[in-house]
Amino acid sequence: MSTLNERDMGVLAELEAACRNHAKYGYLDGWARPLDCGGSNGSDHSYRLSKLAKVGAAEAKQRMPWAGRGSKVYRITDAGLALLSSRNTKGSDHE
């Protein structure tokens, strides 16, 4: 997962928070839309979430599979949580 940069890691942290919040309140079964992670029309959140899914830090699924091509929802994986935990541990060593 060394291909991830700081912006990717920021979106991963946003995804973790959105998934945790959605799971707590039973919304979308704990999955998050790019909008839920701070994305907006024209932002790069969809690209970055797709990138995170490709490296295994997140998983993706079609939001409405019966509609053909459409929006996706994302959920952080155990590997993504470990990556965030590792990043947070390293960051605290330098404080």
Side-chain angles (χ1 to χ4, degrees):
M1 288 192 210
S2 62
T3 60
L4 299 180
N5 60 34
E6 283 302 309
R7 179 69 182 124
D8 298 328
M9 293 301 294
V11 171
L12 184 61
E14 293 167 352
L15 175 63
E16 187 276 330
C19 289
R20 184 173 14 93
N21 190 44
H22 286 184
K24 179 178 179 181
Y25 293 104
Y27 183 67
L28 292 175
D29 293 326
W31 292 78
R33 303 167 297 174
L35 176 67
D36 302 324
C37 302
S40 62
N41 192 17
S43 73
D44 65 349
H45 280 70
S46 292
Y47 162 75
R48 296 203 183 268
L49 288 165
S50 177
K51 182 178 176 182
L52 291 167
K54 285 179 184 174
V55 300
E59 57 184 320
K61 71 176 183 176
Q62 290 290 137
R63 186 162 179 216
M64 295 178 283
W66 62 88
R69 184 175 172 218
S71 62
K72 290 185 177 179
V73 288
Y74 298 86
R75 182 167 58 189
I76 193 164
T77 62
D78 289 340
L81 289 170
L83 190 59
L84 282 177
S85 178
S86 171
R87 176 181 179 236
N88 291 339
T89 301
K90 288 178 186 175
S92 66
D93 291 343
H94 299 290
E95 293 178 3

